Amino acid sequence: MTLIYLLWDTFYNALKLVTGLVAVYQIVLSIYGLWHRRRTITHAPQKRFAIIIPAHNEECVIGPLLESLKRQTYPKRLYDVHVIADNCTDRTAERARSHGAIVHVRENRAEQGKGYAIEWMLARLRDMDAHYDAIVMFDADNLVHPDFLAMMNDHLCSGDRVIQGYLDTKNPFDSWISVSLAISYWFDNRLWQYARQRLNLPCTLGGTGLCIDYPLLQEMGWKATGLTEDLEFGIRCVRRGIIPVWAHDARVYDEKPTSFAASFRQRLRWQQGHFQCAREHLLPMFVEGLRERNLAKIDMAIYLFQPMRSMLLFAGAMIVLGLHYLSPDPTDAATNPAALVVTNLWVAVNVILFLEIPLAMLLERVNWRAYFALPLLPFFLWTWGPVTLQAYFTRSNRTWYHTVHKRAIRLDELRER
């Protein structure tokens, strides 16, 4: 048993070395997210937008979203709102029509999910011979900042073709789950997404608050119908040489799950889709990046590796812990100088990475109440381990599950909070 423990401990230390290097890479990149200057809008309204909102049984939340879209500072003549009532059994269609949206009723039980609904809607726009310059996508539970379309117009006029808006949270203080997710997003927005924007590296698409140049979309096609349709499309863009850019000042407010079970199901779907994309694209993209000396492709490949990193560390730690208690004399491995160096460096790097989270909160000037959730955050982050482990063993699953939304918060209420 001691030999087994020593062999596995050696492997686990090698794993910590590799994953630690990935963490160091992220820490270095995050430095570029420390300073932010708000983007000044320099282009007059020019682009015409088709706003697409896939909605499955969203009558409780779609009203406030449509109200926030009516309050855009952008000229009303330059955008249309299309709501996809996707296999709905409630009054989503009626509620959307009452707010002035163009409603498209879709009935297809065989192909369920947001990706299929978007593919269907884009085909309808082609059949309608609609003339748009860009497509913007929102989820039905969102709220949208009044300057969102003006910001997207400015990016498009500057030559950007795929733009991701800032993903904020409209219900951060509903539960410890929603505030933990909000903290994760605040960190990700500032020290992951914005930092990469400054380095001309691709941001990761979030599925909502997404703007795509319509001619590019017609040329590429959507073709993203998996569990993480946003990630699929973003990868295709990067492999095509198109860099999705991050619009830090174009905000979208998203509803986060409030229960652990709902959060677990949502994150499981994300990780299953992530593994599906990684299986197809990770190695080819990494090889292409090395061959072409293309850091954007290498960076996206590293992002695709993240769930594998989380899973391996979680599984490895559990096995080492088990072998430690089964081994009659594990002390030799514990006092191995090389292993101690690797472990100490790995711990130091991950402590720095964790401390970047409150730093990002300070930079983003989040509500002071969020800081009281930091003691619980390590436990929430730990739960990504079992989520990712289960996702790996169920990665062939392509069944889409709807996340129920209930918080009909309006933009004015959000500002008051």
Side-chain angles (χ1 to χ4, degrees):
M1 184 61 71
T2 302
L3 179 60
I4 296 174
Y5 176 84
L6 290 171
L7 290 173
W8 186 262
D9 189 66
T10 300
F11 168 76
Y12 186 54
N13 278 298
L15 181 64
K16 283 192 289 188
L17 182 62
V18 173
T19 56
L21 290 174
V22 173
V24 169
Y25 172 77
Q26 169 54 33
I27 290 170
V28 172
L29 292 192
S30 67
I31 295 171
Y32 290 85
L34 296 179
W35 297 273
H36 170 62
R37 178 179 296 176
R38 182 175 174 81
R39 184 185 179 99
T40 301
I41 296 175
T42 57
H43 294 89
Q46 300 176 36
K47 304 297 183 179
R48 181 170 173 79
F49 295 96
I51 297 174
I52 296 177
I53 305 169
H56 173 70
N57 291 343
E58 303 284 13
E59 67 171 315
C60 293
V61 295
I62 198 166
L65 165 63
L66 297 175
E67 288 175 11
S68 71
L69 289 173
K70 286 181 182 178
R71 297 171 64 179
Q72 290 292 297
T73 58
Y74 205 69
K76 303 295 184 292
R77 60 184 173 79
L78 290 178
Y79 66 96
D80 297 321
V81 180
H82 299 268
V83 173
I84 311 166
D86 186 28
N87 293 301
C88 291
T89 57
D90 67 353
R91 298 179 63 253
T92 295
E94 292 88 337
R95 188 64 57 84
R97 287 192 188 98
S98 71
H99 284 83
I102 304 167
V103 177
H104 307 261
V105 177
R106 178 178 182 265
E107 296 287 347
N108 187 334
R109 304 290 177 181
E111 296 180 336
Q112 296 193 45
K114 181 179 172 183
Y116 286 113
I118 293 170
E119 184 85 64
W120 178 84
M121 186 66 239
L122 292 173
R124 284 180 68 87
L125 290 180
R126 286 194 298 272
D127 293 341
M128 292 163 56
D129 196 26
H131 298 286
Y132 295 109
D133 297 302
I135 303 295
V136 177
M137 301 177 191
F138 296 113
D139 288 341
D141 61 294
N142 293 165
L143 295 172
V144 185
H145 190 278
D147 291 336
F148 186 91
L149 290 180
M151 285 284 183
M152 291 300 162
N153 173 76
D154 200 65
H155 275 278
L156 290 165
C157 292
S158 299
D160 298 327
R161 306 188 74 185
V162 180
I163 309 110
Q164 175 62 57
Y166 185 108
L167 301 176
D168 212 335
T169 304
K170 73 178 187 181
N171 64 324
F173 303 114
D174 281 1
S175 72
W176 75 275
I177 291 292
S178 62
V179 74
S180 296
L181 283 165
I183 291 171
S184 300
Y185 271 82
W186 289 323
F187 164 76
D188 185 75
N189 290 339
R190 185 60 181 259
L191 297 183
W192 183 289
Q193 301 276 42
Y194 178 64
R196 280 165 169 74
Q197 165 65 25
R198 293 194 63 202
L199 289 166
N200 198 34
L201 294 175
C203 74
T204 53
L205 303 182
T208 187
L210 172 61
C211 178
I212 306 172
D213 177 70
Y214 192 39
L216 172 67
L217 194 52
Q218 290 176 309
E219 179 187 335
M220 289 180 59
W222 178 244
K223 301 177 184 177
T225 54
L227 297 179
T228 48
E229 76 291 329
D230 45 3
L231 180 59
E232 288 181 61
F233 186 78
I235 290 169
R236 288 178 56 221
C237 288
V238 174
R239 296 193 71 175
R240 195 184 181 91
I242 297 164
I243 304 297
V245 302
W246 177 253
H248 199 75
D249 301 306
R251 296 204 173 215
V252 177
Y253 301 88
D254 185 39
E255 181 182 329
K256 298 295 183 285
T258 57
S259 71
F260 181 78
S263 169
F264 193 98
R265 286 193 300 270
Q266 185 184 65
R267 290 183 289 156
L268 179 64
R269 172 170 58 83
W270 291 345
Q271 297 297 68
Q272 287 170 335
H274 203 121
F275 277 121
Q276 291 162 11
C277 290
R279 180 172 56 191
E280 181 177 355
H281 297 286
L282 194 159
L283 284 177
M285 186 175 296
F286 187 71
V287 171
E288 288 174 18
L290 291 177
R291 186 172 59 243
E292 301 168 11
R293 297 181 182 178
N294 187 320
L295 185 56
K297 291 185 177 181
I298 294 172
D299 184 72
M300 181 60 76
I302 291 173
Y303 175 73
L304 287 174
F305 176 70
Q306 293 297 331
M308 184 67 71
R309 171 181 176 268
S310 175
M311 183 196 69
L312 291 174
L313 286 174
F314 177 78
M318 294 300 101
I319 293 172
V320 165
L321 185 64
L323 290 176
H324 176 80
Y325 285 104
L326 290 174
S327 174
D329 184 18
T331 54
D332 289 342
T335 56
N336 184 319
L340 284 174
V341 170
V342 170
T343 298
N344 290 337
L345 288 175
W346 184 83
V347 169
V349 165
N350 282 277
V351 167
I352 294 171
L353 201 57
F354 181 80
L355 291 176
E356 285 193 336
I357 295 173
L359 173 61
M361 294 166 67
L362 283 169
L363 294 171
E364 291 298 278
R365 301 178 182 179
V366 305
N367 189 291
W368 59 269
R369 289 183 291 167
Y371 293 93
F372 288 102
L374 285 173
L376 287 174
L377 187 63
F379 175 72
F380 178 79
L381 296 176
W382 179 87
T383 64
W384 277 99
V387 168
T388 307
L389 195 62
Q390 182 175 340
Y392 178 77
F393 289 108
T394 59
R395 62 191 183 278
S396 59
N397 171 64
R398 290 185 174 270
T399 303
W400 177 80
Y401 295 100
H402 176 235
T403 301
V404 178
H405 301 117
K406 303 176 181 179
R407 300 290 274 119
I409 302 171
R410 285 170 168 76
L411 200 58
D412 288 339
E413 298 175 68
L414 195 64
R415 288 172 176 172
E416 290 172 4
R417 295 181 183 190

